Amino acid sequence: MRVVIQENYANMCKWAANYIAAKINGHRESRPFVLGLPTGSSPIGVYQELVRMNKAGEVSFANVVTFNMDEYLGLPREHDQSYWYFMHDNLFNHLVDMKPENINILNGMAEDPEAECARYEAKIASYGGIDLFMGGIGVDGHLAFNEPFTSLTSRTGVRALTTDTRIVNSRFFGNDPEKVPAYALSVGIGTVTDSREVLVLINGHNKARALAATVQGGVSQQWTCSALQLHPAAIIACDEAACGELTVDAYKYFLDIEKEERL
Ligand code: GLP
């Protein structure tokens, strides 16, 4: 696993956006480049940088198909806290050549949510899988909405949100955890780790415990993000603030091994 430590959030976002753009630009196959995407505050700076690069002609999304990680159950697209709304507001509406038909987001209003999840998995498979899945994590280490104790081999399905996550996410729902939907549709840990590459953003002091668990703890369903240790090509992009719980030797090791600034 690579851990790319950047000085601050802005640099982490630039690094991640450059990495994604390089992968899209380097894609030589006739099939589209398949990109997995998260929501949350962590990726916002990455999206801003990708939009800037796209407008400047540095990266095209014309041959990119996207799959989002998750969506709240019971929120319509138009709801300003739906992940559909978030993705259009923060990324898709600003890209000059993203094709709407290439955007995939789980439908939180599906009549049969389980069938919707099965359809999503099948659609990912129909593209030959995901080339690069970018993710973020919760303070409890959840990846997408795979809360602690979700199977590390899980596939896309309906997930119950923990009280902790509803409290953390209540900042977007008038600070009332009861207003945060209790369930979500989410890709599974297995869905993410099946991707050819995984890039996870971890920034801020409040993610320090989760970063240490992801990188230095054992592989455990208690920290679902730790499943990345078993992936052959996982990268964590983080900022200094998130490194507070790493051991000094691990912190120095990652700085040392990355110092040649390879992409
Ligand atoms: C939500 C999302 C996750 C996201 C997490 C962290 O719970 N379901 O996919 O990674 O929040 O969000 P933030 O980046 O705002 O800390």
Side-chain angles (χ1 to χ4, degrees):
M1 178 191 278
R2 285 178 68 187
V3 177
V4 178
I5 302 167
Q6 296 291 308
E7 195 181 348
N8 52 38
Y9 175 72
N11 289 3
M12 178 195 83
C13 291
K14 276 199 189 115
W15 189 93
N18 278 335
Y19 188 87
I20 293 166
K23 290 289 165 179
I24 294 172
N25 289 336
H27 184 70
R28 294 279 171 262
E29 295 169 44
S30 52
R31 63 174 186 86
F33 185 84
V34 185
L35 180 63
L37 294 172
T39 56
S41 46
S42 309
I44 289 178
V46 181
Y47 293 153
Q48 287 169 348
E49 184 61 12
L50 284 173
V51 167
R52 188 201 62 72
M53 295 174 89
N54 178 246
K55 286 185 171 155
E58 293 167 23
V59 63
S60 164
F61 281 77
N63 194 34
V64 175
V65 168
T66 64
F67 283 90
N68 260 83
M69 288 194 136
D70 43 17
E71 178 60 283
Y72 287 115
L73 184 66
L75 284 198
R77 294 174 161 198
E78 307 74 41
H79 192 290
D80 64 5
Q81 291 308 326
S82 81
Y83 287 167
W84 191 96
Y85 189 99
F86 174 97
M87 287 307 300
H88 285 77
D89 200 31
N90 285 286
L91 182 67
F92 298 137
N93 289 349
H94 309 285
L95 296 172
V96 298
D97 54 3
M98 183 76 214
K99 296 178 184 143
E101 65 271 26
N102 284 350
I103 297 169
N104 294 283
I105 302 177
L106 285 153
N107 177 6
M109 297 300 284
E111 247 173 62
D112 182 344
E114 294 291 356
E116 167 67 0
C117 294
R119 179 197 68 80
Y120 206 67
E121 281 278 340
K123 194 153 183 205
I124 292 172
S126 76
Y127 282 104
I130 291 177
D131 290 297
L132 171 61
F133 218 134
M134 174 164 72
I137 62 170
V139 289
D140 61 1
H142 69 242
L143 185 58
F145 265 131
N146 297 290
E147 299 280 25
F149 307 109
T150 306
S151 162
L152 300 184
T153 61
S154 53
R155 311 304 307 190
T156 305
V158 178
R159 303 283 192 272
L161 272 53
T162 60
T163 302
D164 279 1
T165 293
R166 293 178 80 198
I167 291 170
V168 172
N169 288 3
S170 67
R171 66 192 192 279
F172 302 116
F173 291 85
N175 291 319
D176 180 358
E178 286 299 317
K179 291 208 178 106
V180 181
Y183 294 91
L185 312 184
S186 173
V187 296
I189 293 294
T191 319
V192 176
T193 55
D194 272 359
S195 310
R196 289 176 196 91
E197 282 190 85
V198 184
L199 167 62
V200 172
L201 310 170
I202 306 183
N203 61 281
H205 291 99
N206 63 339
K207 300 282 175 68
R209 235 159 60 87
L211 175 59
T214 305
V215 175
Q216 288 195 269
V219 174
S220 160
Q221 60 183 354
Q222 182 155 3
W223 293 91
T224 55
C225 50
S226 67
L228 296 174
Q229 291 179 26
L230 300 176
H231 193 280
I235 304 179
I236 308 287
C238 63
D239 65 359
E240 288 279 349
C243 292
E245 297 285 333
L246 293 180
T247 59
V248 175
D249 58 345
Y251 172 77
K252 283 185 178 167
Y253 170 81
F254 290 122
L255 282 181
D256 193 34
I257 200 166
E258 291 292 335
K259 72 178 170 237
E260 282 170 35
E261 287 189 32
R262 59 197 168 121
L263 246 190

